[in-house]
Amino acid sequence: DSGVTQTPKHLITATGQRVTLRCSPRSGDLSVYWYQQSLDQGLQFLIQYYNGEERAKGNILERFSAQQFPDLHSELNLSSLELGDSALYFCASSVAGEEGKLFFGSGTQLSVL
Amino acid sequence: QKEVEQDPGPLSVPEGAIVSLNCTYSNSAFQYFMWYRQYSRKGPELLMYTYSSGNKEDGRFTAQVDKSSKYISLFIRDSQPSDSATYLCAMSLSGSARQLTFGSGTQLTVLP
């Protein structure tokens, strides 16, 4: 168990809908990262937050947004969903100063039908 | 061309074999190199973490980085069925925005 908690584990929704994925980092970790994993694209970095502020942005679509709250949990919002958004979404956290040492949650499997 | 290329596999070996997993990369600015292991339907977990060139050993695992060739390797000695997983190489730039660039992963099966 990595200590990173993600909910829900599975999400099935329809095209055009909006969903929210939730992540609680390990106790004490200030950084939260969101990744998308699909068969054709592999593991792709979406966005990083550090102590409530956006720190780095990757290949995140404009339809997607994220935030980190004062209690350090984070939410990833996906809107106007398309079939191609079906993927595994991972949250990870890291210790300050050791950003390469990521601790991943078990992921949310999103299926857009 | 992708920034990080990883041998796709899949790779099947008998129990006890030495496994070699490899990645090449194009960006010479990468400074941090990692290997993650991912079991089916689980999140990746960090196996090895190295900075710059050289070797690092941890139990049955050895990570090698050759920055001059832009090539990294992970060796698994005395492989076990429990090593069956997908192995992802990852690397990052120095600096504050250290998002990782991952390889596509090699699926390994160790047969008992």
Side-chain angles (χ1 to χ4, degrees):
Chain A
D1 182 6
S2 67
V4 177
T5 304
Q6 284 188 252
T7 57
K9 290 192 184 304
H10 303 279
L11 205 46
I12 301 174
T13 188
T15 54
Q17 295 298 304
R18 173 189 169 93
V19 296
T20 297
L21 282 52
R22 182 187 168 100
C23 168
S24 293
R26 294 188 323 152
S27 177
D29 287 353
L30 301 180
S31 274
V32 168
Y33 305 74
W34 287 97
Y35 282 84
Q36 179 193 59
Q37 187 175 43
S38 60
L39 283 175
D40 57 342
Q41 294 291 323
L43 199 58
Q44 298 282 319
F45 168 71
L46 296 178
I47 198 164
Q48 176 198 358
Y49 277 82
Y50 178 83
N51 202 20
E53 295 195 1
E54 183 183 304
R55 176 64 66 90
K57 225 169 186 176
N59 301 321
I60 189 166
L61 299 171
E62 285 192 12
R63 299 184 286 109
F64 296 0
S65 64
Q67 54 184 330
Q68 187 179 27
F69 295 88
D71 67 353
L72 300 177
H73 91 271
S74 178
E75 293 181 355
L76 179 67
N77 300 296
L78 315 176
S79 61
S80 303
L81 285 167
E82 302 174 358
L83 296 177
D85 297 328
S86 297
L88 253 175
Y89 291 84
F90 287 108
C91 169
S93 69
S94 69
V95 177
E98 295 187 321
E99 283 83 350
K101 297 182 179 179
L102 295 181
F103 296 87
F104 283 84
S106 293
T108 294
Q109 178 67 62
L110 174 66
S111 298
V112 182
L113 305 178
Chain B
Q1 183 188 4
K2 291 184 178 179
E3 266 193 307
V4 178
E5 299 278 0
Q6 185 169 1
D7 289 350
L11 185 61
S12 286
V13 301
E15 184 175 353
I18 296 174
V19 176
S20 171
L21 304 168
N22 310 293
C23 287
T24 58
Y25 61 96
S26 57
N27 190 343
S28 58
F30 285 133
Q31 296 283 346
Y32 299 84
F33 303 91
M34 289 129 269
W35 285 94
Y36 283 82
R37 176 175 63 195
Q38 186 176 19
Y39 291 113
S40 181
R41 291 184 291 276
K42 296 290 186 183
E45 59 175 320
L46 181 65
L47 269 183
M48 302 291 281
Y49 178 93
T50 55
Y51 171 72
S52 195
S53 285
N55 293 358
K56 183 174 182 178
E57 188 173 319
D58 184 0
R60 296 184 296 111
F61 298 90
T62 299
Q64 286 186 353
V65 175
D66 182 349
K67 290 191 70 182
S68 62
S69 301
K70 300 193 187 73
Y71 189 88
I72 69 170
S73 300
L74 177 70
F75 296 95
I76 307 174
R77 291 183 299 280
D78 188 24
S79 56
Q80 302 295 310
S82 59
D83 295 328
S84 298
T86 297
Y87 289 80
L88 301 152
C89 64
M91 41 201 83
S92 69
L93 307 172
S94 61
S96 59
R98 295 186 184 180
Q99 66 268 31
L100 301 182
T101 300
F102 282 85
S104 55
T106 300
Q107 186 177 346
L108 171 68
T109 301
V110 181
L111 303 169

